[in-house]
């Protein structure tokens, strides 16, 4: 949520999981954080706060959505697939090292950025990107249909998991 602190977001993750819900936590860094080499530190700080609220057996109810804030908006430079993979790989490694292999396997890591009909298959094929959120392109029925057809022709799985 815009303007929420890491602690505020983490409390909501804990409350949602405690109520038996699945949760999606969006992680992202601002342009200045990226420019000054603070992207990794920022993302891991956000993840660390939320991870404290995730019970060992609840990682299968957690979705981490990487949304690079610097790439959002009209005229912004999109985050490329290689960068999305690099970031999600780092997030999964952090979870593996701190919560274990099973947690790293169960958590879903998504990318929420500039996915469209020209790049959807590429994002879908990334090892550490378990799914993605379609933004503006999804508001146009023809473009959304083109994305779905692209994924179908590429043989991408739409079952919500990589197991």
């Amino acid at each position: 949520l815009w303007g929420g602190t890491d602690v505020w977001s983490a409390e909501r993750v804990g409350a949602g999981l405690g109520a038996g819900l699945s949760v999606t936590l969006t992680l992202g860094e601002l342009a200045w954080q990226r420019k000054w080499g603070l992207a990794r530190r920022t993302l891991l700080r956000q993840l660390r706060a939320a991870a404290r609220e995730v019970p060992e057996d609840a990682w299968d109810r957690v979705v981490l959505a990487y949304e690079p804030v610097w790439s959002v908006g009209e005229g912004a430079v999109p985050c490329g697939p290689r960068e999305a993979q690099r970031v999600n790989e780092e997030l999964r490694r952090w979870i593996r090292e701190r919560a274990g292999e099973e947690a790293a396997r169960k958590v879903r890591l998504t990318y929420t950025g500039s996915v469209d009909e020209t790049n959807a298959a590429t994002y879908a094929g990334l090892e550490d990107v378990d799914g993605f959120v379609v933004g503006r392109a999804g508001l146009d029925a023809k473009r959304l249909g083109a994305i779905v057809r692209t994924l179908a022709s590429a043989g991408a799985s739409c079952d919500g998991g990589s197991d």
Side-chain angles (χ1 to χ4, degrees):
L1 187 62
W2 230 198
T5 66
D6 297 340
V7 171
W8 187 89
S9 296
E11 288 171 350
R12 271 124 195 96
V13 166
L17 292 170
L21 301 173
S22 293
V23 298
T24 299
L25 175 68
T26 302
L27 307 171
E29 77 279 22
L30 301 170
W32 71 266
Q33 292 165 321
R34 184 173 172 83
K35 179 181 178 181
W36 291 98
L38 299 172
R40 180 178 184 275
R41 180 183 301 174
T42 299
L43 294 167
L44 294 181
R45 185 194 72 229
Q46 295 167 358
L47 177 55
R48 187 178 312 108
R52 290 185 191 115
E53 300 294 329
V54 180
E56 186 177 318
D57 64 345
W59 283 99
D60 60 340
R61 295 189 288 128
V62 176
V63 176
L64 298 178
Y66 173 53
E67 181 171 18
V69 182
W70 53 268
S71 72
V72 174
E74 209 58 49
V77 176
C79 173
R82 200 170 10 203
E83 178 67 1
Q85 167 58 29
R86 186 192 67 74
V87 169
N88 277 8
E89 180 180 29
E90 179 71 26
L91 297 174
R92 194 176 309 275
R93 181 181 311 114
W94 189 94
I95 293 166
R96 182 177 294 112
E97 291 171 356
R98 285 154 186 86
E101 184 61 41
E102 185 174 356
R105 186 179 53 77
K106 287 183 172 182
V107 69
R108 294 293 167 239
L109 299 174
T110 65
Y111 169 68
T112 172
S114 301
V115 176
D116 61 29
E117 61 276 13
T118 66
N119 61 21
T122 302
Y123 283 103
L126 298 173
E127 183 177 346
D128 288 297
V129 177
D130 300 317
F132 48 81
V133 176
V134 178
R136 272 188 298 269
L139 298 175
D140 179 312
K142 289 182 182 178
R143 290 186 73 197
L144 182 58
I147 293 169
V148 171
R149 285 188 299 280
T150 297
L151 293 172
S153 68
S157 171
C158 296
D159 68 1
S162 60
D163 296 332

